[in-house]
Structure formats: structure tokens, C-alpha cells
Amino acid sequence: MKISFKVNGVEQTLDVEPRRLLADVLRDECGLTGTHLGCEHGICGACTVLMDGKAVRSCLVLAVQCDGSSLRTVEGLAGPDGEPHPLQRAFSAEHALQCGFCTPGFLMAAAGALEADPTIDDDPEAIEGIVGSNICRCTGYEPIRRAITRAAKEQRYPTA
């Protein structure tokens, strides 16, 4: 089945089997291997991408469901000049990654939440919802909470 979608601002037209998962198409057809497959049941969150601005588990979405959509993966977080996204800087500064396997999913879940509500740094429950949506076996989650809060503040109150 022929589908078209925009991923990280680039139009893609692909011929895919109707049963192919978005995660597999992103990795195999588009070469975007930052989308990680962990549990393949939608529980771990490592495969989270943004579809039309909303965080989705790409291991649960069929690629054909994305026809006409705009997708954003972790490869699309950095600015056009390659400048890291505030979340990427904050994750590094707060030591919010260790093995890095879960990091793309956390970054994309947080990016979607920050785009929907730039004031989440004022809402610990919202941050807890983001952190609780994905599984990390290394960090203990506190550095991830700090990183999301830091990035939200940086976006709201940029320094001159």
C-alpha cells in the first residue's frame, strides 16, 4: 500500500505492507534508528515519536495509519543548524541518561508535552505523568524529572 507522510520535515512516499508497524518503517525504510524497540507491546515507551504533535508508541501504530501525517522522531529534535534541543541539553546536564536506550522515548514524550504546555515546569504532576509513561532501568527517574523541568524553564525563560 502506498502511503505518504512527512517525517522530521521531509516528505516520504513509501510502499508498505498494511501490517507493518510504524517503528519498523521508520527504522528500516527511513533509516531513523533513534526510534528504539524495547518491549514491542507499548509499555516501555522507547519507541515514542510525535504524530501530528502527539506522543504515540510507534510499536503500536501501523504505518498505514500515518498516511498524510506529520511525524517527528528524536533525529528531528535538534534545530536546523544542529543546535541541540533544550531537552537534549538538559538531559546531558542533569545526567538523565546512562545506557541511553530509553532516552529517545523520554525526549519525544517530553517534547510533545512541552509543545502542548510550555508551563509544565509549574506542574509536578504533569512531569510525573511524562516520567511515569516510560521505563528506565538505569537512572532512577529523578535526573529525568530534573531535566524536563530544566528544559521547560529554559524554553520559558531564555537567557540573553
PDB file of all heavy atoms in Angstrom, residues 13 58 83 91 101 124 128 137 139 150:
ATOM      1  N   THR A  13       7.324   9.029   0.634  1.00  0.00           N
ATOM      2  CA  THR A  13       6.301   8.224  -0.021  1.00  0.00           C
ATOM      3  C   THR A  13       6.852   6.816  -0.094  1.00  0.00           C
ATOM      4  O   THR A  13       7.928   6.585  -0.656  1.00  0.00           O
ATOM      5  CB  THR A  13       5.973   8.761  -1.419  1.00  0.00           C
ATOM      6  OG1 THR A  13       5.506  10.103  -1.291  1.00  0.00           O
ATOM      7  CG2 THR A  13       4.892   7.920  -2.093  1.00  0.00           C
ATOM      8  N   SER A  58       5.232   4.028  18.630  1.00  0.00           N
ATOM      9  CA  SER A  58       5.326   3.611  17.235  1.00  0.00           C
ATOM     10  C   SER A  58       5.296   2.097  17.060  1.00  0.00           C
ATOM     11  O   SER A  58       5.111   1.611  15.947  1.00  0.00           O
ATOM     12  CB  SER A  58       6.562   4.211  16.570  1.00  0.00           C
ATOM     13  OG  SER A  58       7.748   3.752  17.164  1.00  0.00           O
ATOM     14  N   GLU A  83      21.906  22.703  16.388  1.00  0.00           N
ATOM     15  CA  GLU A  83      21.907  23.074  17.812  1.00  0.00           C
ATOM     16  C   GLU A  83      20.982  22.112  18.580  1.00  0.00           C
ATOM     17  O   GLU A  83      19.834  21.924  18.205  1.00  0.00           O
ATOM     18  CB  GLU A  83      21.415  24.516  17.966  1.00  0.00           C
ATOM     19  CG  GLU A  83      21.305  24.992  19.395  1.00  0.00           C
ATOM     20  CD  GLU A  83      22.643  25.134  20.099  1.00  0.00           C
ATOM     21  OE1 GLU A  83      23.673  25.299  19.416  1.00  0.00           O
ATOM     22  OE2 GLU A  83      22.656  25.077  21.337  1.00  0.00           O
ATOM     23  N   PHE A  91      19.039  16.932  29.404  1.00  0.00           N
ATOM     24  CA  PHE A  91      19.297  15.527  29.723  1.00  0.00           C
ATOM     25  C   PHE A  91      20.785  15.311  29.962  1.00  0.00           C
ATOM     26  O   PHE A  91      21.171  14.573  30.867  1.00  0.00           O
ATOM     27  CB  PHE A  91      18.782  14.610  28.607  1.00  0.00           C
ATOM     28  CG  PHE A  91      17.399  14.070  28.852  1.00  0.00           C
ATOM     29  CD1 PHE A  91      16.318  14.922  28.973  1.00  0.00           C
ATOM     30  CD2 PHE A  91      17.172  12.708  28.968  1.00  0.00           C
ATOM     31  CE1 PHE A  91      15.043  14.439  29.194  1.00  0.00           C
ATOM     32  CE2 PHE A  91      15.900  12.205  29.194  1.00  0.00           C
ATOM     33  CZ  PHE A  91      14.828  13.074  29.307  1.00  0.00           C
ATOM     34  N   PHE A 101      19.172   3.756  26.087  1.00  0.00           N
ATOM     35  CA  PHE A 101      18.167   3.044  25.303  1.00  0.00           C
ATOM     36  C   PHE A 101      16.791   3.699  25.400  1.00  0.00           C
ATOM     37  O   PHE A 101      16.092   3.846  24.401  1.00  0.00           O
ATOM     38  CB  PHE A 101      18.085   1.566  25.723  1.00  0.00           C
ATOM     39  CG  PHE A 101      17.281   0.754  24.754  1.00  0.00           C
ATOM     40  CD1 PHE A 101      17.874   0.279  23.598  1.00  0.00           C
ATOM     41  CD2 PHE A 101      15.941   0.507  24.972  1.00  0.00           C
ATOM     42  CE1 PHE A 101      17.136  -0.445  22.669  1.00  0.00           C
ATOM     43  CE2 PHE A 101      15.201  -0.216  24.052  1.00  0.00           C
ATOM     44  CZ  PHE A 101      15.803  -0.693  22.903  1.00  0.00           C
ATOM     45  N   PRO A 124       4.204  19.630  38.855  1.00  0.00           N
ATOM     46  CA  PRO A 124       4.937  18.383  39.125  1.00  0.00           C
ATOM     47  C   PRO A 124       4.166  17.130  38.696  1.00  0.00           C
ATOM     48  O   PRO A 124       4.772  16.140  38.299  1.00  0.00           O
ATOM     49  CB  PRO A 124       5.154  18.397  40.639  1.00  0.00           C
ATOM     50  CG  PRO A 124       4.990  19.820  41.049  1.00  0.00           C
ATOM     51  CD  PRO A 124       4.063  20.449  40.051  1.00  0.00           C
ATOM     52  N   GLU A 128       5.483  14.226  36.333  1.00  0.00           N
ATOM     53  CA  GLU A 128       5.407  12.840  36.803  1.00  0.00           C
ATOM     54  C   GLU A 128       4.703  11.959  35.770  1.00  0.00           C
ATOM     55  O   GLU A 128       5.086  10.809  35.561  1.00  0.00           O
ATOM     56  CB  GLU A 128       4.686  12.769  38.150  1.00  0.00           C
ATOM     57  CG  GLU A 128       4.798  11.432  38.831  1.00  0.00           C
ATOM     58  CD  GLU A 128       6.240  10.999  39.072  1.00  0.00           C
ATOM     59  OE1 GLU A 128       7.072  11.830  39.447  1.00  0.00           O
ATOM     60  OE2 GLU A 128       6.530   9.799  38.864  1.00  0.00           O
ATOM     61  N   ARG A 137      15.683   1.694  33.272  1.00  0.00           N
ATOM     62  CA  ARG A 137      16.253   0.771  34.238  1.00  0.00           C
ATOM     63  C   ARG A 137      17.549   1.282  34.854  1.00  0.00           C
ATOM     64  O   ARG A 137      18.133   0.635  35.700  1.00  0.00           O
ATOM     65  CB  ARG A 137      16.485  -0.587  33.586  1.00  0.00           C
ATOM     66  CG  ARG A 137      15.191  -1.240  33.155  1.00  0.00           C
ATOM     67  CD  ARG A 137      15.453  -2.587  32.521  1.00  0.00           C
ATOM     68  NE  ARG A 137      14.235  -3.142  31.991  1.00  0.00           N
ATOM     69  CZ  ARG A 137      13.458  -4.001  32.640  1.00  0.00           C
ATOM     70  NH1 ARG A 137      13.779  -4.387  33.852  1.00  0.00           N
ATOM     71  NH2 ARG A 137      12.367  -4.472  32.078  1.00  0.00           N
ATOM     72  N   THR A 139      18.472   5.153  35.485  1.00  0.00           N
ATOM     73  CA  THR A 139      18.662   6.462  36.113  1.00  0.00           C
ATOM     74  C   THR A 139      17.964   6.658  37.438  1.00  0.00           C
ATOM     75  O   THR A 139      18.302   7.587  38.166  1.00  0.00           O
ATOM     76  CB  THR A 139      18.190   7.598  35.193  1.00  0.00           C
ATOM     77  OG1 THR A 139      16.771   7.508  35.049  1.00  0.00           O
ATOM     78  CG2 THR A 139      18.880   7.561  33.859  1.00  0.00           C
ATOM     79  N   ARG A 150      14.133  21.493  33.883  1.00  0.00           N
ATOM     80  CA  ARG A 150      15.176  22.424  33.428  1.00  0.00           C
ATOM     81  C   ARG A 150      14.901  22.897  31.995  1.00  0.00           C
ATOM     82  O   ARG A 150      14.999  24.093  31.694  1.00  0.00           O
ATOM     83  CB  ARG A 150      16.534  21.733  33.509  1.00  0.00           C
ATOM     84  CG  ARG A 150      17.689  22.590  33.084  1.00  0.00           C
ATOM     85  CD  ARG A 150      18.977  21.764  33.118  1.00  0.00           C
ATOM     86  NE  ARG A 150      20.136  22.588  32.934  1.00  0.00           N
ATOM     87  CZ  ARG A 150      21.205  22.564  33.717  1.00  0.00           C
ATOM     88  NH1 ARG A 150      21.272  21.740  34.738  1.00  0.00           N
ATOM     89  NH2 ARG A 150      22.223  23.352  33.463  1.00  0.00           N
TER      90      ARG A 150
END
